[in-house]
């Protein structure tokens, strides 16, 4: 379910980002994407760590 929500949010962000022209706005959008990606990576890492703990 998280994936579909993320996809929906990305679609809305992409529509807004099409009109970005200022370097600061573009940099802020990129930073937002990087932060979101880091959160997703951390969530996956947490799930993997829980899986390893259960198996051990």
């Amino acid at each position: 379910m998280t994936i579909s929500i993320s996809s929906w949010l990305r679609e809305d962000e992409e529509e807004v980002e099409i009109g970005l022209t200022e370097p600061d706005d573009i940099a802020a959008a990129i930073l937002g994407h990087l932060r979101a990606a880091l959160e997703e990576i951390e969530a996956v890492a947490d799930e993997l760590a829980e899986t390893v703990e259960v198996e051990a």
Side-chain angles (χ1 to χ4, degrees), residues 42-54:
E42 289 172 342
V44 170
D46 290 344
E47 287 181 30
L48 290 173
E50 290 173 9
T51 303
V52 171
E53 289 174 7
V54 170

Side-chain angles (χ1 to χ4, degrees), residues 4-17:
S4 61
I5 292 172
S6 296
S7 297
W8 173 71
L9 290 173
R10 274 192 289 256
E11 289 174 8
D12 287 347
E13 289 173 359
E14 288 172 2
E15 291 176 10
V16 171
E17 291 173 357

Side-chain angles (χ1 to χ4, degrees), residues 15-34:
E15 291 176 10
V16 171
E17 291 173 357
I18 290 173
L20 296 180
T21 57
E22 296 297 317
D24 288 344
D25 294 336
I26 295 169
I30 292 169
L31 186 57
H33 286 288
L34 291 172

